[in-house]
Amino acid sequence: MAEHGAGAGPRVLSGTSRLAGIIGWPVSHSRSPRLHGFWLDRYGIDGAYVPLPVRPENLVIAVRSLRDLGFRGGNVTIPHKEAVVAACDRLEESARCAGAVNTLVFEADGAIVGLNSDGAGFIAGLAQTVPDFAPAEGPAVLFGAGGGARAVAAALLKAGCPEVVVVNRTPGRAEALAAALGPRVTTGSWGDPGPLGRAALVVNTTSLGMLGQPPLALPLEALPPQAVVADLVYVPRTTALIAAARARGHRTMGGLPMLLHQASVGFALWFGVTPVVDEALADFVAGDIPDEAPSEHRAPCG
């Protein structure tokens, strides 16, 4: 079987092509079409995966319309991960735990099923990127309290993390997340470095650091030297936070490994093949992602 770009030739869609896509607003930043396109080429699948920009007020009707048009399902990205629950007929346990949906499956009987592969993708990416770290080593501090934060928090708890501290600019959202996930989840105050001092893992789940956004500036000098720093942002591939953490000698994980691993769940459900996450895929997806944020978006992080 030919690899992408190695003589496989263009895919030609038929009248029975399997269709999926990514729903967001905006959705132009997403590399998911590039990622799934690589796999479709690699495995010679008669199918397509397309970007689907959907305004928030049109979300539910758009999801139902995609089902009626014959799509197999799709991914869901910001700002729709929590709101799309209203369009689902059934939620898998992963979505119930996360309180958010990042993957939709349209079943043969018309049912819309929501699941969440973000948490599993984060854990798999962490295991691949920082293999000598285990979530059970100590507390994790998460910045942000949206759907991504809840999915990662739930997955960390399942993996044995003893405590997750959620820090958000709006305290009420952090408190709601903690209440939903139980006593091992607590909250911290934005700007208070205290939780960092005992952290084994720090995770940015906000959009801060994304290309065009200001960086997440943290007092990294408060972190224990052995702490791991992770960022869900993958555009740029190396955020200011990750660059600062590496400069201080911390083990790090950018957002790309999570993106790749979470994507494999939906691909298998829509296209019938469990894809391999490997270096060739990572290199291809990263091919059009800037490696670092522009200098004007780099700020001291500690």
Side-chain angles (χ1 to χ4, degrees), residues 52-139:
L52 299 164
V54 176
R55 293 180 181 273
E57 63 269 23
N58 297 331
L59 178 60
V60 173
I61 192 170
V63 169
R64 292 172 180 164
S65 296
L66 290 170
R67 174 199 59 190
D68 296 342
L69 287 168
F71 275 66
R72 296 297 182 103
N75 287 123
V76 183
T77 188
I78 54 175
H80 298 323
K81 290 186 179 184
E82 293 169 277
V84 80
V85 169
C88 295
D89 299 305
R90 187 174 78 251
L91 297 179
E92 296 292 328
E93 181 183 1
S94 59
R96 290 196 299 271
C97 289
V101 168
N102 82 323
T103 304
L104 296 169
V105 176
F106 303 150
E107 297 195 333
D109 63 0
I112 299 173
V113 180
L115 54 146
N116 195 304
S117 61
D118 280 339
F122 178 82
I123 297 296
L126 195 62
Q128 184 181 59
T129 308
V130 193
D132 58 344
F133 174 79
E137 289 183 19

Coordinates of all heavy atoms in Angstrom, one line a residue, residues 52-139:
L52 N -16.2 22.0 8.1 CA -17.6 22.4 8.2 C -17.8 23.6 9.1 O -18.1 23.4 10.3 CB -18.5 21.2 8.6 CG -18.4 20.0 7.7 CD1 -18.9 18.7 8.5 CD2 -19.2 20.2 6.4
P53 N -17.6 24.8 8.6 CA -17.9 26.0 9.5 C -19.3 26.1 9.8 O -20.2 26.3 8.9 CB -17.3 27.1 8.7 CG -17.4 26.7 7.2 CD -17.2 25.2 7.3
V54 N -19.7 26.1 11.1 CA -21.1 26.2 11.5 C -21.2 27.3 12.6 O -20.6 27.2 13.6 CB -21.6 24.8 12.0 CG1 -23.0 24.9 12.5 CG2 -21.5 23.8 10.9
R55 N -22.1 28.2 12.3 CA -22.4 29.2 13.4 C -23.0 28.6 14.6 O -23.8 27.7 14.4 CB -23.3 30.3 12.8 CG -22.6 31.2 11.7 CD -23.6 32.2 11.2 NE -23.0 33.0 10.1 CZ -22.3 34.1 10.4 NH1 -22.1 34.5 11.6 NH2 -21.8 34.8 9.4
P56 N -22.8 29.1 15.8 CA -23.4 28.5 17.0 C -24.9 28.4 16.9 O -25.4 27.4 17.4 CB -22.9 29.5 18.1 CG -21.6 30.0 17.6 CD -21.8 30.2 16.1
E57 N -25.6 29.4 16.4 CA -27.0 29.4 16.4 C -27.6 28.3 15.4 O -28.8 28.0 15.5 CB -27.6 30.8 16.0 CG -27.2 31.3 14.7 CD -26.0 32.1 14.6 OE1 -25.1 31.9 15.5 OE2 -25.8 32.9 13.7
N58 N -26.7 27.8 14.6 CA -27.2 26.8 13.6 C -26.7 25.4 13.9 O -26.9 24.5 13.1 CB -26.7 27.2 12.2 CG -27.2 28.5 11.7 OD1 -28.3 28.9 12.1 ND2 -26.4 29.2 10.9
L59 N -26.1 25.2 15.1 CA -25.4 24.0 15.4 C -26.3 22.7 15.3 O -26.0 21.8 14.6 CB -24.7 24.1 16.7 CG -24.0 22.8 17.2 CD1 -22.8 22.5 16.2 CD2 -23.4 23.0 18.6
V60 N -27.4 22.7 16.0 CA -28.2 21.5 16.1 C -28.8 21.1 14.8 O -28.7 20.0 14.3 CB -29.3 21.7 17.2 CG1 -30.3 20.5 17.1 CG2 -28.7 21.8 18.6
I61 N -29.3 22.1 14.1 CA -29.9 21.8 12.7 C -28.8 21.4 11.8 O -29.1 20.5 10.9 CB -30.7 23.0 12.2 CG1 -31.6 22.6 11.0 CG2 -29.8 24.2 11.9 CD1 -32.6 23.6 10.6
A62 N -27.6 21.9 11.9 CA -26.5 21.6 11.0 C -26.1 20.1 11.2 O -25.9 19.3 10.2 CB -25.3 22.5 11.2
V63 N -26.0 19.7 12.5 CA -25.6 18.3 12.8 C -26.7 17.4 12.2 O -26.4 16.3 11.6 CB -25.5 18.1 14.3 CG1 -25.4 16.7 14.6 CG2 -24.2 18.9 14.8
R64 N -27.9 17.6 12.4 CA -29.0 16.8 11.9 C -29.0 16.7 10.4 O -29.3 15.7 9.8 CB -30.3 17.2 12.5 CG -30.4 17.0 14.0 CD -31.7 17.5 14.7 NE -31.7 17.3 16.1 CZ -32.5 17.9 17.0 NH1 -33.3 18.8 16.6 NH2 -32.4 17.6 18.3
S65 N -28.7 17.9 9.8 CA -28.7 17.9 8.3 C -27.6 17.1 7.8 O -27.7 16.4 6.7 CB -28.5 19.4 7.8 OG -29.7 20.1 8.2
L66 N -26.4 17.1 8.4 CA -25.3 16.2 8.0 C -25.7 14.8 8.0 O -25.4 14.0 7.1 CB -24.0 16.5 8.8 CG -23.4 17.9 8.7 CD1 -22.3 18.1 9.7 CD2 -22.8 18.0 7.3
R67 N -26.4 14.4 9.1 CA -26.8 13.0 9.2 C -27.8 12.7 8.0 O -27.6 11.6 7.4 CB -27.6 12.8 10.5 CG -28.3 11.5 10.7 CD -29.3 11.5 11.7 NE -30.4 12.5 11.4 CZ -31.3 12.9 12.3 NH1 -31.4 12.3 13.5 NH2 -32.2 13.8 11.9
D68 N -28.7 13.6 7.7 CA -29.7 13.3 6.7 C -29.0 13.3 5.3 O -29.6 12.7 4.4 CB -30.8 14.4 6.7 CG -31.6 14.3 8.0 OD1 -31.5 13.3 8.7 OD2 -32.2 15.3 8.4
L69 N -27.9 14.0 5.2 CA -27.1 14.0 3.9 C -26.3 12.8 3.7 O -25.6 12.7 2.7 CB -26.3 15.3 3.8 CG -27.1 16.6 3.6 CD1 -26.2 17.8 3.8 CD2 -27.7 16.6 2.2
G70 N -26.2 11.9 4.7 CA -25.5 10.7 4.5 C -24.1 10.7 5.1 O -23.3 9.7 4.9
F71 N -23.7 11.7 5.9 CA -22.4 11.7 6.5 C -22.4 10.5 7.6 O -23.4 10.1 8.1 CB -22.2 13.0 7.2 CG -21.5 14.1 6.4 CD1 -22.3 14.6 5.3 CD2 -20.3 14.5 6.6 CE1 -21.7 15.6 4.5 CE2 -19.7 15.5 5.8 CZ -20.4 16.0 4.8
R72 N -21.2 10.0 7.8 CA -21.0 8.9 8.8 C -20.9 9.5 10.2 O -21.0 8.8 11.2 CB -19.8 8.1 8.5 CG -19.9 7.3 7.2 CD -21.1 6.3 7.2 NE -21.1 5.5 6.0 CZ -20.7 4.2 5.9 NH1 -20.2 3.6 6.9 NH2 -20.8 3.6 4.7
G73 N -20.5 10.8 10.3 CA -20.2 11.5 11.5 C -19.2 12.6 11.4 O -19.1 13.1 10.3
G74 N -18.6 13.0 12.5 CA -17.6 14.1 12.4 C -17.0 14.4 13.7 O -17.5 13.9 14.8
N75 N -16.0 15.3 13.7 CA -15.5 15.8 14.9 C -16.1 17.2 15.2 O -16.7 17.8 14.3 CB -13.9 16.0 14.7 CG -13.2 14.7 14.7 OD1 -12.5 14.4 13.8 ND2 -13.3 14.0 15.8
V76 N -16.0 17.6 16.4 CA -16.5 18.9 16.9 C -15.4 19.6 17.6 O -14.7 19.0 18.5 CB -17.7 18.6 17.9 CG1 -18.3 20.0 18.3 CG2 -18.8 17.8 17.2
T77 N -15.2 20.9 17.2 CA -14.2 21.7 17.9 C -14.8 23.0 18.4 O -16.0 23.1 18.4 CB -13.0 22.0 16.9 OG1 -11.9 22.6 17.6 CG2 -13.4 22.8 15.7
I78 N -13.9 23.8 18.9 CA -14.4 25.1 19.6 C -15.3 25.9 18.6 O -15.0 25.9 17.4 CB -13.2 25.9 20.1 CG1 -12.2 26.2 19.0 CG2 -12.6 25.2 21.3 CD1 -11.1 27.1 19.5
P79 N -16.3 26.5 19.1 CA -16.8 26.6 20.5 C -18.0 25.6 20.8 O -18.8 25.8 21.6 CB -17.3 28.0 20.6 CG -17.9 28.2 19.2 CD -17.1 27.5 18.2
H80 N -18.1 24.5 20.0 CA -19.3 23.7 20.0 C -19.3 22.4 20.9 O -20.3 21.7 20.9 CB -19.6 23.2 18.6 CG -19.8 24.3 17.6 ND1 -20.5 25.5 17.9 CD2 -19.5 24.5 16.3 CE1 -20.6 26.3 16.9 NE2 -20.0 25.7 15.9
K81 N -18.2 22.1 21.5 CA -18.0 20.8 22.2 C -19.1 20.5 23.2 O -19.5 19.4 23.4 CB -16.6 20.6 22.7 CG -15.6 20.4 21.7 CD -14.2 20.1 22.3 CE -13.1 19.9 21.3 NZ -11.8 19.5 21.9
E82 N -19.5 21.5 24.0 CA -20.5 21.4 25.0 C -21.9 21.5 24.4 O -22.8 20.7 24.8 CB -20.2 22.3 26.1 CG -18.9 22.0 26.9 CD -18.5 23.1 27.9 OE1 -17.9 24.1 27.4 OE2 -18.8 23.0 29.1
A83 N -22.1 22.5 23.6 CA -23.4 22.8 23.0 C -23.9 21.7 22.2 O -25.1 21.4 22.1 CB -23.4 24.1 22.2
V84 N -23.0 20.9 21.5 CA -23.5 19.9 20.6 C -24.1 18.7 21.3 O -24.8 17.8 20.7 CB -22.3 19.4 19.7 CG1 -21.4 18.4 20.5 CG2 -22.8 18.7 18.4
V85 N -24.0 18.6 22.6 CA -24.7 17.6 23.4 C -26.2 17.6 23.1 O -26.8 16.6 23.1 CB -24.4 17.7 24.9 CG1 -25.3 16.9 25.7 CG2 -22.9 17.4 25.2
A86 N -26.7 18.8 22.9 CA -28.2 19.0 22.6 C -28.6 18.3 21.3 O -29.8 18.0 21.2 CB -28.5 20.4 22.6
A87 N -27.7 18.0 20.4 CA -28.0 17.4 19.2 C -27.9 15.9 19.2 O -28.3 15.2 18.3 CB -27.1 17.9 18.1
C88 N -27.4 15.3 20.3 CA -27.2 13.9 20.4 C -28.4 13.2 21.0 O -29.1 13.6 21.9 CB -26.0 13.6 21.3 SG -24.4 14.3 20.6
D89 N -28.6 12.0 20.4 CA -29.7 11.1 20.9 C -29.1 10.2 22.1 O -29.9 9.8 22.9 CB -30.2 10.2 19.8 CG -30.8 11.0 18.7 OD1 -31.7 11.7 19.0 OD2 -30.4 10.8 17.5
R90 N -27.8 10.0 22.0 CA -27.2 9.2 23.1 C -25.7 9.6 23.3 O -25.1 10.0 22.3 CB -27.2 7.7 22.7 CG -26.8 6.8 23.7 CD -27.0 5.3 23.4 NE -26.0 4.8 22.4 CZ -26.2 4.5 21.2 NH1 -27.4 4.7 20.7 NH2 -25.3 4.0 20.4
L91 N -25.3 9.6 24.5 CA -23.9 9.9 24.8 C -23.2 8.7 25.4 O -23.7 8.0 26.2 CB -23.8 11.0 25.9 CG -24.4 12.4 25.6 CD1 -24.2 13.3 26.7 CD2 -23.7 13.0 24.3
E92 N -22.0 8.4 24.8 CA -21.2 7.3 25.4 C -20.6 7.8 26.7 O -20.6 9.0 27.0 CB -20.1 7.0 24.4 CG -20.5 6.4 23.1 CD -21.2 5.0 23.2 OE1 -20.7 4.3 24.1 OE2 -22.1 4.7 22.5
E93 N -20.1 6.9 27.5 CA -19.5 7.2 28.8 C -18.5 8.3 28.7 O -18.4 9.2 29.6 CB -19.0 6.0 29.5 CG -18.4 6.2 30.9 CD -17.8 5.0 31.5 OE1 -17.8 4.0 30.9 OE2 -17.4 5.1 32.7
S94 N -17.6 8.2 27.7 CA -16.5 9.2 27.6 C -17.1 10.6 27.5 O -16.5 11.6 28.1 CB -15.7 8.9 26.4 OG -16.5 8.9 25.2
A95 N -18.2 10.8 26.8 CA -18.8 12.1 26.7 C -19.5 12.5 27.9 O -19.5 13.7 28.3 CB -19.8 12.1 25.5
R96 N -20.2 11.6 28.6 CA -20.8 11.9 29.9 C -19.8 12.3 30.9 O -20.0 13.3 31.6 CB -21.6 10.7 30.4 CG -22.9 10.4 29.5 CD -23.8 9.4 30.3 NE -23.2 8.2 30.6 CZ -23.2 7.1 29.8 NH1 -23.8 7.1 28.6 NH2 -22.6 6.0 30.2
C97 N -18.7 11.7 31.0 CA -17.7 12.0 32.0 C -17.1 13.4 31.7 O -16.8 14.2 32.6 CB -16.6 11.0 32.0 SG -17.1 9.4 32.8
A98 N -16.9 13.7 30.4 CA -16.2 14.9 29.9 C -17.2 16.1 29.9 O -16.8 17.2 29.9 CB -15.6 14.7 28.6
G99 N -18.5 15.8 29.8 CA -19.5 16.8 29.7 C -19.4 17.5 28.4 O -19.9 18.7 28.2
A100 N -18.8 16.9 27.4 CA -18.6 17.5 26.1 C -18.4 16.4 25.1 O -18.0 15.3 25.4 CB -17.4 18.4 26.1
V101 N -18.6 16.8 23.8 CA -18.5 15.8 22.7 C -17.5 16.4 21.7 O -17.6 17.5 21.3 CB -19.9 15.6 22.0 CG1 -19.8 14.9 20.7 CG2 -20.8 14.9 22.9
N102 N -16.6 15.5 21.3 CA -15.7 15.9 20.2 C -15.8 15.0 19.0 O -15.2 15.2 18.0 CB -14.2 16.0 20.7 CG -13.5 14.6 20.7 OD1 -14.2 13.6 21.0 ND2 -12.3 14.6 20.3
T103 N -16.6 13.9 19.1 CA -16.8 13.0 18.0 C -18.2 12.6 17.9 O -18.8 12.2 18.9 CB -15.9 11.7 18.3 OG1 -14.5 12.1 18.4 CG2 -16.0 10.8 17.1
L104 N -18.8 12.7 16.7 CA -20.2 12.3 16.5 C -20.2 11.1 15.5 O -19.4 11.0 14.6 CB -21.0 13.4 15.8 CG -21.2 14.7 16.6 CD1 -21.7 15.8 15.7 CD2 -22.1 14.5 17.8
V105 N -21.1 10.1 15.8 CA -21.3 9.0 14.9 C -22.8 8.9 14.6 O -23.6 9.0 15.5 CB -20.9 7.7 15.6 CG1 -21.2 6.5 14.7 CG2 -19.4 7.7 15.9
F106 N -23.1 8.9 13.3 CA -24.5 8.8 12.8 C -24.7 7.3 12.5 O -24.2 6.8 11.6 CB -24.7 9.6 11.6 CG -24.3 11.1 11.8 CD1 -23.9 11.9 10.7 CD2 -24.5 11.7 13.0 CE1 -23.6 13.2 10.9 CE2 -24.2 13.1 13.2 CZ -23.7 13.8 12.1
E107 N -25.6 6.7 13.3 CA -25.8 5.3 13.2 C -26.8 5.0 12.1 O -27.5 5.9 11.6 CB -26.3 4.7 14.5 CG -25.2 4.8 15.6 CD -25.4 3.9 16.8 OE1 -26.6 3.6 17.0 OE2 -24.4 3.6 17.4
A108 N -26.9 3.7 11.6 CA -27.7 3.4 10.5 C -29.2 3.6 10.8 O -30.0 3.9 9.8 CB -27.5 1.9 10.2
D109 N -29.6 3.6 12.0 CA -31.0 3.9 12.3 C -31.3 5.3 12.5 O -32.4 5.7 12.9 CB -31.5 3.1 13.6 CG -30.7 3.5 14.8 OD1 -29.8 4.4 14.7 OD2 -30.9 3.0 15.9
G110 N -30.3 6.2 12.3 CA -30.5 7.6 12.4 C -30.1 8.2 13.7 O -30.1 9.5 13.8
A111 N -29.8 7.4 14.7 CA -29.4 7.9 16.0 C -28.0 8.7 15.9 O -27.1 8.3 15.2 CB -29.2 6.8 17.0
I112 N -28.0 9.8 16.6 CA -26.8 10.6 16.7 C -26.1 10.3 18.0 O -26.7 10.6 19.1 CB -27.1 12.1 16.5 CG1 -27.7 12.4 15.2 CG2 -25.8 12.9 16.7 CD1 -28.2 13.9 15.0
V113 N -24.9 9.7 18.0 CA -24.2 9.3 19.2 C -23.0 10.2 19.4 O -22.2 10.5 18.4 CB -23.7 7.8 19.0 CG1 -23.0 7.4 20.3 CG2 -25.0 6.9 18.8
G114 N -22.8 10.7 20.6 CA -21.7 11.6 20.9 C -20.7 10.9 21.8 O -21.1 10.2 22.8
L115 N -19.5 11.0 21.5 CA -18.4 10.5 22.4 C -17.3 11.5 22.5 O -17.3 12.6 21.9 CB -17.9 9.1 21.9 CG -17.4 9.0 20.5 CD1 -16.2 8.0 20.5 CD2 -18.5 8.5 19.6
N116 N -16.3 11.2 23.4 CA -15.2 12.2 23.6 C -13.9 11.4 23.6 O -13.7 10.6 24.5 CB -15.4 13.0 24.8 CG -14.5 14.2 24.9 OD1 -13.3 14.1 24.8 ND2 -15.1 15.4 25.0
S117 N -13.1 11.7 22.6 CA -11.8 11.0 22.6 C -10.6 11.9 23.0 O -9.5 11.5 22.9 CB -11.5 10.5 21.1 OG -11.5 11.6 20.2
D118 N -11.0 13.1 23.4 CA -9.9 14.1 23.8 C -9.1 13.5 25.0 O -7.8 13.6 25.0 CB -10.5 15.4 24.2 CG -10.8 16.3 23.0 OD1 -10.3 16.0 22.0 OD2 -11.7 17.2 23.2
G119 N -9.8 13.0 26.0 CA -9.0 12.5 27.2 C -8.1 11.4 26.9 O -7.0 11.3 27.3
A120 N -8.7 10.4 26.2 CA -7.9 9.2 25.8 C -6.7 9.6 24.9 O -5.6 9.1 25.0 CB -8.8 8.2 25.1
G121 N -7.0 10.6 24.0 CA -6.0 11.1 23.1 C -4.8 11.8 23.9 O -3.7 11.6 23.6
F122 N -5.2 12.5 24.9 CA -4.2 13.2 25.7 C -3.3 12.2 26.5 O -2.1 12.3 26.4 CB -4.9 14.1 26.8 CG -3.9 14.8 27.7 CD1 -3.3 16.0 27.3 CD2 -3.6 14.3 28.9 CE1 -2.4 16.6 28.1 CE2 -2.7 14.9 29.8 CZ -2.1 16.1 29.4
I123 N -3.9 11.2 27.1 CA -3.2 10.2 27.8 C -2.3 9.4 26.9 O -1.1 9.1 27.2 CB -4.1 9.2 28.6 CG1 -4.9 10.0 29.6 CG2 -3.4 8.1 29.2 CD1 -4.1 10.6 30.7
A124 N -2.8 9.0 25.7 CA -2.0 8.2 24.7 C -0.8 9.1 24.2 O 0.3 8.6 24.1 CB -2.9 7.8 23.6
G125 N -1.1 10.4 24.0 CA 0.0 11.2 23.5 C 1.0 11.4 24.6 O 2.2 11.5 24.3
L126 N 0.6 11.6 25.8 CA 1.6 11.7 26.9 C 2.4 10.5 27.1 O 3.6 10.6 27.3 CB 0.8 12.0 28.2 CG 1.5 12.6 29.4 CD1 2.1 13.9 29.1 CD2 0.6 12.7 30.6
A127 N 1.8 9.3 27.0 CA 2.6 8.1 27.1 C 3.6 7.9 26.0 O 4.7 7.4 26.2 CB 1.6 6.9 27.1
Q128 N 3.3 8.4 24.8 CA 4.2 8.3 23.7 C 5.3 9.3 23.8 O 6.5 9.1 23.5 CB 3.4 8.5 22.4 CG 4.3 8.3 21.1 CD 3.4 8.5 19.9 OE1 2.9 9.6 19.6 NE2 3.4 7.5 19.0
T129 N 4.9 10.6 24.2 CA 5.9 11.7 24.2 C 6.8 11.7 25.5 O 8.0 12.1 25.4 CB 5.1 13.0 24.1 OG1 4.2 12.9 23.0 CG2 6.1 14.2 23.9
V130 N 6.2 11.4 26.6 CA 6.9 11.4 27.9 C 6.7 10.1 28.5 O 6.0 9.9 29.6 CB 6.4 12.6 28.8 CG1 7.4 12.8 30.0 CG2 6.2 13.9 28.0
P131 N 7.4 9.0 28.0 CA 7.1 7.7 28.5 C 7.5 7.4 29.9 O 7.0 6.4 30.5 CB 7.8 6.8 27.5 CG 8.9 7.7 26.9 CD 8.3 9.0 26.9
D132 N 8.4 8.2 30.4 CA 8.8 8.0 31.8 C 8.0 8.7 32.9 O 8.3 8.7 34.0 CB 10.3 8.4 32.0 CG 10.6 9.8 31.7 OD1 9.7 10.5 31.0 OD2 11.6 10.4 32.0
F133 N 6.8 9.2 32.4 CA 5.9 9.9 33.3 C 4.6 9.2 33.5 O 4.1 8.6 32.5 CB 5.6 11.3 32.8 CG 4.6 12.1 33.7 CD1 4.9 12.6 34.9 CD2 3.2 12.1 33.2 CE1 3.9 13.3 35.7 CE2 2.3 12.8 34.0 CZ 2.6 13.3 35.2
A134 N 4.1 9.1 34.7 CA 2.8 8.5 34.9 C 1.9 9.5 35.7 O 2.4 10.1 36.6 CB 3.0 7.2 35.7
P135 N 0.6 9.6 35.3 CA -0.3 10.5 35.9 C -0.4 10.3 37.4 O -0.7 11.3 38.2 CB -1.6 10.3 35.2 CG -1.2 9.8 33.9 CD 0.0 9.0 34.1
A136 N -0.1 9.1 37.9 CA -0.2 8.8 39.4 C 0.9 9.5 40.2 O 0.9 9.4 41.4 CB -0.2 7.3 39.6
E137 N 1.9 10.1 39.5 CA 3.1 10.6 40.2 C 2.7 11.8 41.1 O 3.4 12.1 42.1 CB 4.2 11.0 39.2 CG 4.8 9.9 38.6 CD 6.0 10.3 37.6 OE1 6.4 11.4 37.7 OE2 6.3 9.4 36.8
G138 N 1.7 12.5 40.8 CA 1.3 13.7 41.7 C 0.2 14.5 41.1 O -0.3 14.2 40.0
P139 N -0.1 15.7 41.7 CA -1.2 16.5 41.3 C -0.9 17.1 39.9 O 0.2 17.3 39.4 CB -1.2 17.6 42.3 CG -0.5 17.1 43.5 CD 0.6 16.2 43.0

